[in-house]
Amino acid sequence: MIRTLWTFAVGLAALAWWGPIVIWEARRGRKDGDWYVAVTRRWVRSVIWASGCPVRVHGREHVHPDVPQVIAANHISWFDVFALAAVIEEPYHFVAKKELLKIPLFGQALVGAGHIIIDRSNRERAIESLREAGEKVRHSRGAVVIFPEGTRSRDGRLSPFKKGAFMLAAESRVAIVPTAVTGSFEIMRKGSWRISPRTIHVHFLEPIPPETVTELGAAGVEPLMELVRARIAAVVEGEPDAGV
């Protein structure tokens, strides 16, 4: 319980400091994406530090600094987000659900930092948001990070994927980096606020190149979706601490 209280205290204090600065800079029209990413990293790394949950990275060479990519990861805990945001060294934007905008200060900072908000209750708006994300991917270096399951798993198992991430990659004609996160399920399960320190492993797997993405996407996104899911499942289902 002490670890949980300490982690929340540090996270909220960091958010209270950096959140207003991000919102202020965004309202002033600051367009320096690298600055917003640097601030995000500082915040999430403070949470990771306070939680006592070290992050081990595997396959870092598969994320390229100057090549647009879509990072598609499984989602078993809020700490997946913290871990990815902490270890990706390249500029990035997360795709986040609209409901997060309701969180005081955090929601405004999320928008101010340029992350991509999806309204899942409105199909047309969601598709339009993905198209805007596609433009952002094509015309900027770095990565767009998305969780194809759409929400955190309740049992740690890999849930069915939704098509949005693969529509985004196919339309953008960029590489997809399948990414498997393990170890975070037991840290803070969905529906629980208790934090139990564990080591988080982030596996950046071999990218699916743009030409393959385009080829599979032309036949519909299902073959692309199944390929990415199979690669992530091969890691997640083989990890004893993955919650499966």
Side-chain angles (χ1 to χ4, degrees):
M1 181 59 71
I2 293 175
R3 176 70 70 176
T4 300
L5 294 174
W6 170 243
T7 303
F8 275 93
V10 169
L12 289 172
L15 178 61
W17 172 258
W18 288 112
I21 295 174
V22 168
I23 295 167
W24 171 255
E25 291 294 335
R27 288 177 178 172
R28 290 179 63 243
R30 184 166 189 162
K31 302 296 184 183
D32 183 359
D34 288 357
W35 182 83
Y36 290 108
V37 170
V39 169
T40 302
R41 283 199 199 101
R42 289 185 182 185
W43 178 61
V44 296
R45 285 176 178 175
S46 70
V47 175
I48 292 289
W49 168 77
S51 69
C53 298
V55 183
R56 302 285 180 260
V57 182
H58 312 268
R60 188 185 295 277
E61 69 276 9
H62 292 144
V63 182
H64 300 288
D66 298 313
V67 179
Q69 294 177 313
V70 171
I71 294 176
N74 63 310
H75 200 13
I76 50 179
S77 168
W78 259 104
F79 276 80
D80 307 335
V81 181
F82 300 146
L84 287 168
V87 303
I88 298 174
E89 299 294 343
E90 294 68 29
Y92 56 73
H93 299 279
F94 276 78
V95 175
K97 58 186 180 182
K98 184 182 178 182
E99 289 81 354
L100 294 179
L101 299 182
K102 297 177 182 178
I103 302 176
L105 194 58
F106 177 82
Q108 292 174 285
L110 195 68
V111 173
H115 297 290
I116 301 155
I117 309 301
I118 300 292
D119 184 355
R120 299 182 300 181
S121 66
N122 187 309
R123 178 178 172 77
E124 291 184 3
R125 288 182 184 174
I127 291 174
E128 183 59 31
S129 296
L130 287 171
R131 285 176 177 159
E132 291 175 5
E135 288 296 316
K136 186 170 289 189
V137 172
R138 277 195 293 270
H139 297 103
S140 63
R141 62 190 179 91
V144 167
V145 185
I146 193 166
F147 298 100
E149 293 162 283
T151 189
R152 287 167 291 157
S153 168
R154 285 195 174 276
D155 59 6
R157 297 181 181 275
L158 199 58
S159 302
F161 280 7
K162 301 183 186 302
K163 297 180 180 180
F166 310 98
M167 292 171 57
L168 169 62
E171 191 165 303
S172 305
R173 299 182 296 279
V174 300
I176 296 181
V177 182
T179 301
V181 183
T182 62
S184 57
F185 179 68
E186 294 293 345
I187 296 174
M188 190 171 72
R189 298 188 180 198
K190 186 173 183 177
S192 172
W193 294 101
R194 181 178 292 275
I195 293 171
S196 301
R198 297 287 191 282
T199 298
I200 305 170
H201 292 269
V202 176
H203 304 260
F204 295 115
L205 307 178
E206 184 176 353
I208 299 170
E211 54 270 22
T212 303
V213 169
T214 302
E215 179 183 346
L216 293 176
V221 296
E222 284 82 3
L224 181 59
M225 181 169 65
E226 289 306 315
L227 175 59
V228 173
R229 191 178 189 281
R231 291 192 180 181
I232 294 174
V235 176
V236 171
E237 292 173 2
E239 288 283 341
D241 60 348
V244 297

